[in-house]
Amino acid sequence: MDSTRVPLGGTRQELVLAALLLATGCVVTLQQLVQVVWETHPPSTAAHQIRKIVADLRRRLPAGLIVTDGPGYRMVIHDTAVDLQIFEKQLVRARAAEDDGRPAEAIDALTTGLSLWRGDALSGMNGLTVRTAAARADERRLMTVERLITLQLEIGEEGDLVGQLRALAAEHPMRERLLVLLMTALYQSGRQAEALQVYADARQSLADQLGIDPGPELSRRHEQILRNDPALDPRAATRAAVPTVRVVTSSSRPMTIPRDLVDFTGHDETLETLVGFARPDATALTLVSINGMGGVGKTTLAIHAAHRLGREFPDGQLFLDLHGFTYGRDPVDPVEALGVLLRAVGTPGEQLPTDQVGRSALWRATTADRSLLILLDNASSAQQVIPLLPSSATSLVLITTRSRLNGLDGTHSVTLDPPLDDEASAIVHRLLGDRHPATEAEVQALVEACGRLPLALRIAVARLHNRPKWTLSYLIGRLRREGRLMRELVLDDRSVAASIGLSYHGVGPDHQQMFRLIGLFPGESCDAYTAAALAGVPQERAEQILEDLLDSQLLIQRQVDRYEMHDLVRNFVRTVLAQDEDENTTAIHRLLDYYVVTAETAANRVQPGRFVTEARVRYPPQDVAPLADQAESLEWFEAERRNLLAAIDLAADRGHDFHLCHLPRTMAFYLYVRGEMHEHIATFRNAAAAARRIDEPVHEGLNLINVAIAHWYLGEFTEALECYADALAIAQDTNDTVGEGTCLGRIGIVCASMGRFEEALSYQQRALAIHRTMGSQAEQGNALSNISQLQNVLGMHAEAVTSAREAVRLLDGRDQPADLASALTRLASAQSNLGEGPAALATLTLATVPVQTTNSRRARAMLETRYAEVLMRLGRLAEAERHGLAALSLLGGLENPALRAEVENVLGRVHTERGDFTGALARHRRAHENADRIGLRLEQARALDGMGRAHAGLGDFDRAVTDWRAALSLHQMMGITGDDLAQRLGCLEQSRSAVSH
């Protein structure tokens, strides 16, 4: 490749090329390039523009330099063609030479590396991502210059360095390391007075501008020059290939832990746990790792704990920021960190070995007999921490980190979560003080807006204090505005977005992509299968990435194998990171396809025999959650319930009619079992409308049936009949004979609920005829079960027993427990009406197993009701009451007025049989209220009959007559016999007439 300068065509081309060069050999995703070019608010065409920019660069650059690779692009170029990579190789070469005691070769390598620089890195280029990389590179260059000059001074080449150091010190006046080197060069050149003047000027400048004194290294160099320390003469020093460990003892007790916060509050339990780890009788070094997401308060807690424990460690307490996640800085190298620690415990700088092995050995020897508390803040990895560990068994090392330090054996690991609501509220009250009185509602609103994150709370309240005209409610309003949260949570150099961004930029491209996609996930938490579908990767790979993101504190885990984002992290993804709309659209389609496929499988397990339709998805999932049986499928529905409902809303928002018409139907039976189907009438209506738009009449009819079931469940019988009529018309128009039979049977059920029993029986018989023609045993069994119930109400008890027995025969062994349980309870009811009480109890015992299998509270409540009814007729009143009360308990929280009315009526009869007419009246009145609310005539009549019995028992015959007349009128309206009722009413009226005469 020659050195010809190639015009790139514009700023955006330069930014893209810079990003690719900085990651030479690695894939840079399309999404990352969008962020490089536009940072926060890319246009909707951003991804398309990036592709055009790359195409333009390919035309301008030699062929084969930029290749498409998976989700992005990769720069294919030899290491020797990128100056930054040559520079890094020279640094590696220099370090190896230093470790081997070859300073001249190290100087040559550093000089060669620095010769590649022609000014600041990426000079003239803007953009946060590029400038951050440039800042890191410039810092690396300056540290290399300092290292080169240090080596040159060590071998006596001070003469030519003074001018260079004066220029560097003028350019970086606050960089004390350069001042130390300048003073050293002047002193070695025989210019002691000038060296001392450099110190005097620096001390004055630091005091005037920052209000601080010179640091330990600069002060120590000043003292060495004052006393003409021989160690400053390189000609008198010898450097050993393997450093000799010289332990410096000091009577000083170093204390470099930052000040504690006056307003520290919260995390009381975690604090006590930390304090409890410090044991005076420890036989080995105590390591405690505090991990948690950025801004959660790890450093604040660790500092507070260190102050609590200070007196337990008499030889000193040390603090070192390792800058594992600091904007614009690389993590502190262990060599540099060891130098800081050794100087802090009194080791003179001239006695420090230059390599890591030597410094680690000296550190271990120096700390062997000391009892120290060391706080290593902001660690990036176990590899950064291990060389810094002291050797003393009586020392304690507290480590704060965003990543879980899995490679640090023997560590007590504490994960710090955001504080609980009451703790977060206490933090806000302390921060507000007396300056901003606030109501509890306002405090809670601020806590909620800030996601309970201490950093966010401190920034928000600090902004409030800095703006006298603001009120707390005004601040909360700003935080709640769409897309403004991250921009509001910024104060000086503190920013929630920057804190999260450091963790985000610390993971690889695949992890960043998964992180972005999880941020778009519509639900609360997801498992590895769902994440795999989102990203289009195998489940094992997805799980590995999720676990890595969990270790990096970008995700949280409240349940095993489920992953979610903190609210502020999700807001960061959606409002700060650049989004690739093409990538998002495809990911959402994959997610919805996954849910359709998996939910269809789960629905078939939960409701065996349901009408199965083929759902052809565009992106068949590579892996789906294993659902072996009904229990696992119900558990899956339970875990994914909120996510599925959110996915349905997402499908509606994005116009995915295919998913909108299929997903709700897969959930229908599960929601029915939970007693929640009625809460989603609008969802099923939208599903039917979506099916109509994409011309899927079968699914339109099926979803209309679900709408009707939900209306029926609520007692909205007219609306239910209208939906069933529409579904029946669709089935007839499309020659869907099975669907026609289903609709006829369902219409019969609604007619029965309305007290139209003869009409209901006619519909069920028509449905049975169709199902017999189609040869569907399961549907025949359900139709016969419904017919049995109607025959029982109409007084045809023997026929009801026959129909129910046939239904049980057809349904038994078909893995349809809900239908079998229904047929058995109806058989028991018919047997009881025939006076076969013991046989009815035996039948109910058989029903227990399928009822338990359904895992349905409604089914269990129905079984308890039938037990209560049969036992009441047998005169076993205490047992009947116990079962009736159990049924009511199961119905607690369920919107099921029909079954509740039935239970109350049975319990009312129990009270009547005991002679407790007051209790009976209360029960029957509650039954009447429930039945009347939904127009359930049969239970209305039973309630009125019971109220009449109770009034008669209490001697209130006028009311008894009124109740019985109303009940008899309902019987006549429903076309069912009321002979016993009519006889009681006639007798009462006759006796009252005789008394009046």
Side-chain angles (χ1 to χ4, degrees):
M1 184 178 296
D2 59 36
S3 59
T4 304
R5 186 175 182 85
V6 177
L8 296 179
T11 302
R12 290 176 179 173
Q13 283 85 343
E14 291 176 357
L15 288 170
V16 170
L17 182 61
L20 292 171
L21 285 170
L22 287 169
T24 295
C26 298
V27 174
V28 182
T29 66
L30 193 65
Q31 179 62 40
Q32 290 172 312
L33 292 175
V34 169
Q35 188 170 349
V36 166
V37 175
W38 285 281
E39 294 185 12
T40 56
H41 299 290
S44 59
T45 59
H48 177 66
Q49 291 189 49
I50 290 294
R51 295 187 183 98
K52 290 179 63 177
I53 290 170
V54 171
D56 183 49
L57 287 172
R58 284 170 169 166
R59 285 193 297 271
R60 296 173 184 273
L61 299 174
L65 282 184
I66 303 176
V67 299
T68 302
D69 190 343
Y73 303 97
R74 179 165 50 88
M75 179 66 76
V76 180
I77 190 169
H78 196 275
D79 291 348
T80 58
V82 182
D83 288 347
L84 194 58
Q85 294 196 4
I86 301 173
F87 173 68
E88 292 294 338
K89 285 191 172 185
Q90 292 298 329
L91 297 190
V92 172
R93 177 186 158 214
R95 176 57 55 85
E98 282 189 74
D99 291 345
D100 291 343
R102 296 178 277 113
E105 186 177 337
I107 289 172
D108 178 68
L110 295 175
T111 303
T112 300
L114 288 168
S115 69
L116 298 168
W117 287 80
R118 300 175 183 82
D120 292 339
L122 304 174
S123 179
M125 298 183 68
N126 294 316
L128 177 63
T129 304
V130 171
R131 291 315 311 158
T132 299
R136 283 198 291 264
D138 287 334
E139 174 65 19
R140 189 87 163 141
R141 172 198 181 190
L142 193 54
M143 290 175 64
T144 302
V145 170
E146 292 172 345
R147 186 67 206 133
L148 173 62
I149 293 174
T150 300
L151 288 173
Q152 289 172 323
L153 288 172
E154 287 177 357
I155 64 173
E157 294 183 0
E158 70 282 348
D160 298 331
L161 299 176
V162 172
Q164 180 185 356
L165 282 166
R166 284 196 186 279
L168 287 169
E171 187 177 353
H172 306 281
M174 297 298 149
R175 199 172 180 95
E176 294 189 31
R177 179 62 181 158
L178 289 173
L179 297 174
V180 169
L181 294 173
L182 174 58
M183 291 169 64
T184 305
L186 288 167
Y187 178 79
Q188 290 180 3
S189 301
R191 300 153 68 176
Q192 183 180 17
E194 291 180 63
L196 294 173
Q197 186 60 48
V198 169
Y199 177 81
D201 292 343
R203 183 177 62 181
Q204 188 64 45
S205 178
L206 290 169
D208 291 344
Q209 297 186 41
L210 302 177
I212 61 174
D213 293 326
E217 186 181 15
L218 191 58
S219 298
R220 190 160 46 249
R221 187 54 42 95
H222 176 243
E223 294 171 4
Q224 287 178 301
I225 291 173
L226 283 174
R227 65 173 186 267
N228 291 311
D229 191 333
L232 293 180
D233 184 0
R235 298 163 188 81
T238 58
R239 299 180 65 205
V242 179
T244 302
V245 176
R246 298 170 57 193
V247 180
V248 178
T249 59
S250 173
S251 59
S252 64
R253 183 176 179 269
M255 168 45 179
T256 63
I257 303 292
R259 69 179 179 87
D260 199 3
L261 285 180
V262 176
D263 57 5
F264 178 87
T265 188
H267 297 304
D268 295 338
E269 187 175 330
T270 307
L271 177 63
E272 294 309 314
T273 299
L274 293 178
V275 171
F277 287 135
R279 297 177 55 189
D281 58 345
T283 58
L285 174 67
T286 302
L287 301 176
V288 181
S289 168
I290 308 170
N291 63 78
M293 66 180 291
V296 79
K298 301 181 295 294
T299 301
T300 303
L301 176 65
I303 290 173
H304 190 70
H307 281 278
R308 278 270 303 268
L309 293 167
R311 280 176 285 184
E312 304 292 328
F313 301 91
D315 296 325
Q317 300 96 50
L318 305 177
F319 175 88
L320 180 60
D321 187 347
L322 297 177
H323 294 292
F325 297 90
T326 302
Y327 181 73
R329 285 203 58 167
D330 288 330
V332 174
D333 184 273
V335 174
E336 180 183 351
L338 285 164
V340 173
L341 292 171
L342 284 164
R343 291 186 184 96
V345 296
T347 306
E350 65 274 7
Q351 294 185 17
L352 294 180
T354 58
D355 64 301
Q356 180 176 319
V357 173
R359 289 188 178 188
S360 290
L362 179 57
W363 173 243
R364 290 192 296 272
T366 302
T367 58
D369 298 321
R370 300 194 186 196
S371 180
L372 297 167
L373 186 154
I374 303 170
L375 202 173
L376 301 177
D377 186 43
N378 201 4
S380 63
S381 64
Q383 289 69 32
Q384 187 187 29
V385 169
I386 290 172
L388 314 182
L389 300 180
S391 58
S392 167
T394 58
S395 289
L396 168 67
V397 180
L398 297 175
I399 308 158
T400 71
T401 176
R402 296 192 185 189
S403 303
R404 291 178 173 83
L405 304 182
N406 298 323
L408 206 56
D409 296 336
T411 303
H412 301 285
S413 183
V414 176
T415 297
L416 193 63
D417 295 320
L420 301 174
D421 283 342
D422 57 345
E423 291 180 326
S425 295
I427 292 173
V428 172
H429 279 298
R430 287 224 183 169
L431 293 173
L432 289 172
D434 298 328
R435 294 174 60 183
H436 290 278
T439 65
E440 283 303 319
E442 288 176 322
V443 170
Q444 191 56 43
L446 180 61
V447 167
E448 182 181 339
C450 293
R452 297 182 286 115
L453 193 69
L455 173 63
L457 292 170
R458 289 185 178 277
I459 290 175
V461 175
R463 293 195 72 197
L464 184 64
H465 287 327
N466 291 341
R467 290 159 176 78
K469 300 297 184 183
W470 284 17
T471 64
L472 184 55
S473 61
Y474 175 74
L475 170 64
I476 294 167
R478 291 178 66 95
L479 294 174
R480 286 175 171 172
R481 289 179 196 167
E482 184 70 26
R484 288 194 60 89
L485 183 60
M486 287 296 129
R487 283 181 282 169
E488 293 293 336
L489 294 177
V490 177
L491 183 70
D492 299 330
D493 61 344
R494 291 189 296 172
S495 161
V496 171
S499 177
I500 299 170
L502 287 168
S503 295
Y504 170 73
H505 291 294
V507 299
D510 289 350
H511 294 66
Q512 290 181 358
Q513 181 196 38
M514 179 69 80
F515 175 74
R516 290 193 305 272
L517 295 178
I518 296 295
L520 297 174
F521 182 66
E524 295 178 354
S525 68
C526 68
D527 62 10
Y529 291 96
T530 310
L534 263 174
V537 299
Q539 181 268 341
E540 287 188 3
R541 175 59 177 157
E543 185 175 38
Q544 180 185 10
I545 294 174
L546 291 170
E547 286 294 319
D548 291 343
L549 291 173
L550 189 64
D551 287 341
S552 299
Q553 301 296 338
L554 287 168
L555 296 179
I556 55 180
Q557 192 169 66
R558 303 184 202 276
Q559 301 177 55
V560 176
D561 293 333
R562 298 198 70 83
Y563 308 85
E564 58 187 284
M565 278 184 169
H566 186 277
D567 290 343
L568 289 182
V569 176
R570 188 182 300 276
N571 186 279
F572 168 82
V573 174
R574 295 182 176 181
T575 63
V576 176
L577 292 184
Q579 299 294 337
D580 182 339
E581 191 56 37
D582 290 343
E583 177 184 74
N584 293 350
T585 299
T586 302
I588 288 170
H589 203 125
R590 284 195 302 258
L591 172 69
L592 295 175
D593 281 355
Y594 168 79
Y595 272 140
V596 166
V597 171
T598 312
E600 188 72 29
T601 301
N604 293 336
R605 300 277 192 274
V606 170
Q607 187 186 8
R610 71 189 281 270
F611 183 70
V612 178
T613 60
E614 184 178 5
R616 296 182 179 178
V617 297
R618 182 184 301 178
Y619 301 106
Q622 298 182 48
D623 300 290
V624 296
L627 304 173
D629 52 30
Q630 185 184 66
E632 287 186 359
S633 298
L634 282 170
E635 287 178 6
W636 184 83
F637 269 126
E638 195 68 29
E640 296 290 340
R641 171 179 163 274
R642 292 181 182 275
N643 294 342
L644 287 166
L645 293 172
I648 291 169
D649 290 340
L650 181 64
D653 292 341
R654 290 198 166 237
H656 287 269
D657 282 342
F658 170 83
H659 305 93
L660 184 56
C661 91
H662 280 267
L663 270 177
R665 180 180 171 256
T666 64
M667 296 187 70
F669 186 74
Y670 162 73
L671 293 173
Y672 180 77
V673 168
R674 278 184 61 99
E676 295 179 2
M677 195 171 180
H678 60 285
E679 298 177 10
H680 305 286
I681 290 177
T683 298
F684 292 118
R685 282 199 181 278
N686 290 337
R692 191 180 313 120
R693 286 193 295 269
I694 60 175
D695 194 25
E696 287 200 14
V698 171
H699 276 90
E700 182 184 358
L702 291 171
N703 280 300
L704 282 172
I705 288 174
N706 289 327
V707 177
I709 292 172
H711 280 302
W712 169 78
Y713 193 90
L714 288 173
E716 297 167 355
F717 303 135
T718 301
E719 293 85 347
L721 282 178
E722 290 174 355
C723 291
Y724 280 134
D726 290 340
L728 177 61
I730 291 173
Q732 291 171 338
D733 289 344
T734 57
N735 296 317
D736 179 8
T737 307
V738 174
E740 182 180 359
T742 299
C743 290
L744 289 170
R746 294 287 184 180
I747 291 172
I749 291 173
V750 179
C751 288
S753 298
M754 299 173 76
R756 293 152 50 180
F757 296 108
E758 293 288 355
E759 185 180 358
L761 184 58
S762 174
Y763 276 110
Q764 292 294 352
Q765 288 170 339
R766 289 168 61 190
L768 177 60
I770 289 176
H771 295 316
R772 279 176 172 163
T773 301
M774 300 301 296
S776 171
Q777 288 193 10
E779 293 303 327
Q780 289 177 59
N782 286 325
L784 283 165
S785 177
N786 292 328
I787 288 171
S788 170
Q789 183 185 35
L790 294 168
Q791 291 169 331
N792 204 20
V793 171
L794 292 168
M796 304 160 60
H797 306 308
E799 293 88 341
V801 168
T802 301
S803 297
R805 286 191 190 282
E806 180 64 10
V808 170
R809 186 188 67 79
L810 290 167
L811 292 168
D812 194 18
R814 298 194 60 82
D815 196 21
Q816 293 179 237
D819 296 334
L820 177 60
S822 181
L824 284 166
T825 55
R826 286 166 176 171
L827 173 58
S829 184
Q831 289 170 325
S832 178
N833 281 330
L834 274 179
E836 300 174 1
L841 287 177
T843 299
L844 290 176
T845 301
L846 294 176
T848 302
V849 173
V851 164
Q852 291 176 340
T853 305
T854 65
N855 198 30
S856 166
R857 286 165 60 192
R858 181 184 179 279
R860 288 159 58 199
M862 178 60 77
L863 178 63
E864 296 289 352
T865 304
R866 291 287 80 80
Y867 263 117
E869 181 183 48
V870 172
L871 289 165
M872 181 268 297
R873 287 180 176 152
L874 288 172
R876 295 159 62 175
L877 301 182
E879 294 173 78
E881 183 178 40
R882 186 170 65 252
H883 284 282
L885 293 174
L888 284 179
S889 176
L890 287 164
L891 289 171
L894 294 181
E895 181 64 30
N896 198 323
L899 186 53
R900 194 179 298 274
E902 191 173 350
V903 180
E904 292 284 9
N905 273 330
V906 172
L907 286 171
R909 287 290 304 277
V910 171
H911 283 289
T912 297
E913 294 297 324
R914 282 177 170 169
D916 177 12
F917 300 114
T918 301
L921 186 61
R923 289 290 183 188
H924 287 303
R925 279 176 173 168
R926 281 196 288 270
H928 189 267
E929 289 172 2
N930 279 285
D932 191 54
R933 179 155 62 93
I934 61 174
L936 193 63
R937 291 176 179 171
L938 181 61
E939 294 305 325
Q940 284 177 296
R942 287 173 174 169
L944 287 166
D945 185 12
M947 290 161 62
R949 290 172 186 264
H951 279 130
L954 292 169
D956 191 345
F957 300 113
D958 289 340
R959 289 191 178 182
V961 168
T962 301
D963 291 334
W964 282 339
R965 283 176 177 171
L968 187 59
S969 176
L970 284 172
H971 275 256
Q972 293 168 347
M973 190 182 302
M974 292 184 287
I976 60 177
T977 58
D979 296 342
D980 178 59
L981 174 59
Q983 184 179 359
R984 278 185 280 114
L985 177 60
C987 289
L988 181 57
E989 289 180 326
Q990 186 177 7
S991 64
R992 292 181 68 215
S993 176
V995 170
S996 65
H997 287 85

